[in-house]
């Protein structure tokens, strides 16, 4: 009653369709993971390149500011003033690191990784 040829054929087709569906889902998952990894690597690379150029600009700007302050403060004190400004910026970043760095970074990474 349950095992006629038509039922067996239907079950066979269902199994074949299910295998194909699982295969497609695994391919989709591989492509999705690959896309997210490529996006993360792109962001990391761009961040490193931009950071390098920002550091170069900061070095040249620091020297320019120190030499501009030289007539007012003298050379040693001018460089000390520039260093003090950087220490203040560092302390601000340490104090507000969760709000300025961690939370935006978590939101950004979550948006990349959770995007469908």
């Amino acid at each position: 009653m349950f095992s006629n040829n038509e039922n067996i054929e239907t079950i066979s087709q269902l199994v074949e369709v299910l295998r194909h569906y699982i295969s497609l889902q695994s391919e989709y998952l591989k492509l999705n993971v690959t896309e997210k990894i490529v996006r993360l690597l792109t962001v990391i690379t761009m961040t490193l390149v931009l950071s390098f150029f920002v550091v170069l600009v900061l070095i040249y700007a620091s020297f320019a500011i120190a030499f501009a302050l030289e007539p007012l403060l003298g050379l040693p004190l001018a460089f000390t003033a520039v260093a003090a400004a950087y220490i203040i910026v560092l302390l601000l970043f340490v104090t507000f690191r969760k709000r300025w760095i961690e939370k935006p970074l978590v939101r950004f990474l979550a948006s990349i990784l959770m995007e469908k």
Side-chain angles (χ1 to χ4, degrees), residues 47-92:
T47 302
L48 289 174
V49 168
L50 289 175
S51 296
F52 173 74
F53 286 113
V54 166
V55 166
L56 284 177
V57 168
L58 283 175
I59 288 171
Y60 282 107
S62 298
F63 277 105
I65 292 169
F67 284 120
L69 290 174
E70 179 188 7
L72 298 173
L73 304 173
L75 194 59
L77 207 53
F79 276 101
T80 304
V82 171
Y86 279 123
I87 289 172
I88 291 170
V89 170
L90 174 70
L91 290 174
L92 285 172

Side-chain angles (χ1 to χ4, degrees), residues 1-83:
M1 174 157 123
F2 286 112
S3 63
N4 63 26
N5 284 341
E6 191 176 304
N7 287 342
I8 293 173
E9 183 66 29
T10 304
I11 291 173
S12 171
Q13 289 174 352
L14 179 63
V15 167
E16 189 60 37
V17 168
L18 188 60
R19 283 185 184 155
H20 184 65
Y21 174 77
I22 290 171
S23 168
L24 289 176
Q25 285 296 332
S26 102
E27 284 296 314
Y28 173 73
L29 182 63
K30 288 177 190 174
L31 289 172
N32 197 10
V33 167
T34 302
E35 176 195 6
K36 290 179 184 196
I37 289 172
V38 166
R39 288 179 68 192
L40 274 174
L41 289 175
T42 302
V43 167
I44 289 170
T45 303
M46 288 301 297
T47 302
L48 289 174
V49 168
L50 289 175
S51 296
F52 173 74
F53 286 113
V54 166
V55 166
L56 284 177
V57 168
L58 283 175
I59 288 171
Y60 282 107
S62 298
F63 277 105
I65 292 169
F67 284 120
L69 290 174
E70 179 188 7
L72 298 173
L73 304 173
L75 194 59
L77 207 53
F79 276 101
T80 304
V82 171

